[in-house]
Amino acid sequence: MEQLIKANDVELCTETFGDPADPPILLIGGTMLTWPDDLCGRLAASRRFVVRYDLRDVGRSTTVDPDAPGYTLRDLVTDAAALLDALDLPRAHIVGAGPGGWIAQLLALDHPGRVATLTLIGTRPLAPGPVDPDLPDHAPELMEHFTNPPAVDWTDRSSVVAFQLANARATGGRDFDEDEARADIEAVHGRTPLGADPGKAHRANQMGTVFAALDCGDRWRERLPAITVPALVVHGEDDPFFPLANAEALAAEIPRAELLVLPRTGQGLPRRTWDTVVPALVRHTA
């Protein structure tokens, strides 16, 4: 059952799965539905206590203005640590996906005592903005799509869902499953508070859009060698948003990190990857 938990002076919509006596895993995405119910259930069935939550300005957590967030990336890191406090979890296995991977990296660097292991999925070692010369930026064809997006009526939910589906198709890789993506997008919109503007709901529930407006503070890539906990880097072979070399850099710069590449996969964790990813997460968090 979802509950609102006060952490770092905001309310974070949180849901748990499994036995609190089992090793805890904190899942950090954008919306909590970055981590579908069935995925959380499989982890819980593997004797893990799973925690997922909506970030600020996303889903049912405290929302002010996703277009102009009055907080920083470091505040989101503090939110995660404060959520562990509120749940009476001194330490957890941390899993971050996409821009949620930035929160996970900084949690491991700035609050190392709270992190038992680190898993980074579909992310990179840099915040939004120019990339380092040795890292690939977003694929040119993806940027062409974002520069010339399909028409959308921001007052009509079906139009917004179609727009999001086009974005998912552009980032989904060779084995993109359109029916699965549509169902996931509809589920996210189903949690949008009644009366919310569909356009703002879209911007709030698309991870990158909120993060792109944040003050992300100082670089941290040069600090990655200071991460001492076991690290697993999971990345789609076809990811055009954060191309694979970003994951290879993370795995090379975090000591003893393991790299798991998902063939024919773009952004996210489609269900066909779970038979690979869930056992890997269970082994990694053992």
Side-chain angles (χ1 to χ4, degrees), residues 8 22 31 63 70 91 94 99 108 113 115 160 162 171 181 183 194 211 222 264-265 277 279 282-283:
N8 197 26
D22 288 336
T31 164
T63 297
R91 200 161 175 253
I94 305 300
V115 179
V160 175
T171 60
L194 293 176
F211 279 90
E222 291 76 14
R264 301 177 65 87
T265 302
V277 173
V282 173
R283 286 194 302 271

Side-chain angles (χ1 to χ4, degrees), residues 247-263:
E248 293 169 342
L250 282 167
E253 293 167 29
I254 298 174
R256 298 173 298 283
E258 176 188 353
L259 176 62
L260 173 61
V261 178
L262 304 175

Side-chain angles (χ1 to χ4, degrees), residues 167-177 238-240 264-267 270 272:
N167 289 343
R169 191 181 301 113
T171 60
R174 283 170 287 174
D175 285 347
F176 175 68
D177 186 325
D238 293 351
D239 189 343
R264 301 177 65 87
T265 302
Q267 274 274 306
R272 62 178 176 76

Side-chain angles (χ1 to χ4, degrees), residues 71-162:
Y71 50 87
T72 70
L73 176 59
R74 265 60 177 192
D75 289 322
L76 298 181
V77 177
T78 304
D79 287 354
L83 180 59
L84 293 178
D85 288 337
L87 294 170
D88 197 24
L89 298 174
R91 200 161 175 253
H93 301 282
I94 305 300
V95 182
W102 301 331
I103 297 172
Q105 291 171 63
L106 287 168
L107 194 62
L109 289 166
D110 296 343
H111 303 268
R114 312 307 301 271
V115 179
T117 65
L118 178 66
T119 302
L120 303 172
I121 301 173
T123 190
R124 70 178 188 181
L126 301 169
V131 298
D132 289 348
D134 64 320
L135 295 179
D137 205 345
H138 311 308
E141 60 272 20
L142 182 65
M143 296 314 295
E144 174 66 21
H145 167 80
F146 286 148
T147 303
N148 299 284
V152 58
D153 178 357
W154 293 111
T155 66
D156 177 62
R157 175 167 290 196
S158 63
S159 180
V160 175
V161 169

